């Protein structure tokens, strides 16, 4: 748990200097999801998807958040989009098999 908070603090420091930093935003969204801060994580990802609308990592993470928020239809749509972009994506295929 301490590692998550440390990671969150580091990514926030980076984002103060570079608000559009891809890696820091993706990591902050991931850490936020693990902390069950789903709305915050979703907001981060939606902002980044404006810049990178077909990014597989961002779409996958958003799909996992939609699942955590029990929005199965939107999660399924996102994972289908990921599979179209990356037919061998293990995470998307695994999640689709559960939906």
């Amino acid at each position: 748990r301490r590692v998550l908070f440390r990671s969150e603090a580091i990514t926030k420091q980076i984002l103060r200097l570079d608000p559009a930093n891809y890696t820091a935003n993706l990591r902050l969204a991931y850490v936020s999801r693990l902390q069950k801060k789903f709305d915050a994580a979703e907001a981060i990802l939606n902002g980044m998807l404006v810049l990178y609308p077909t990014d597989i990592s961002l779409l996958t993470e958003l799909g996992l958040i939609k699942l955590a928020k029990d929005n199965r239809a939107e999660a399924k749509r996102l994972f289908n989009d990921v599979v179209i972009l990356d037919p061998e994506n293990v995470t998307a295929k695994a999640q689709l098999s559960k939906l």
Side-chain angles (χ1 to χ4, degrees):
R1 224 180 143 103
R2 281 179 39 191
V3 171
L4 289 179
F5 292 122
R6 177 126 172 89
S7 182
E8 182 179 21
I10 291 168
T11 56
K12 285 182 177 180
Q13 286 177 351
I14 294 167
L15 292 171
R16 275 194 285 279
L17 299 172
D18 181 9
N21 185 286
Y22 172 86
T23 303
N25 276 289
L26 181 57
R27 297 273 163 82
L28 184 56
Y30 170 75
V31 168
S32 296
R33 177 175 56 86
L34 294 181
Q35 294 175 355
K36 300 188 184 326
K37 298 177 184 177
F38 303 127
D39 291 338
E42 188 172 358
I44 292 164
L45 293 168
N46 284 331
M48 291 305 290
L49 283 164
V50 170
L51 300 172
Y52 307 101
T54 59
D55 185 84
I56 293 164
S57 296
L58 297 171
L59 291 168
T60 301
E61 188 63 32
L62 185 57
L64 293 171
I65 290 165
K66 295 295 186 179
L67 271 183
K69 292 176 77 172
D70 203 32
N71 187 340
R72 297 169 60 86
E74 187 64 13
K76 185 174 183 177
R77 185 191 66 77
L78 287 161
F79 291 131
N80 277 322
D81 288 350
V82 170
V83 170
I84 288 168
L85 295 166
D86 178 13
E88 301 304 317
N89 188 285
V90 174
T91 302
K93 287 170 61 175
Q95 295 304 323
L96 284 170
S97 73
K98 296 177 188 177
L99 293 169

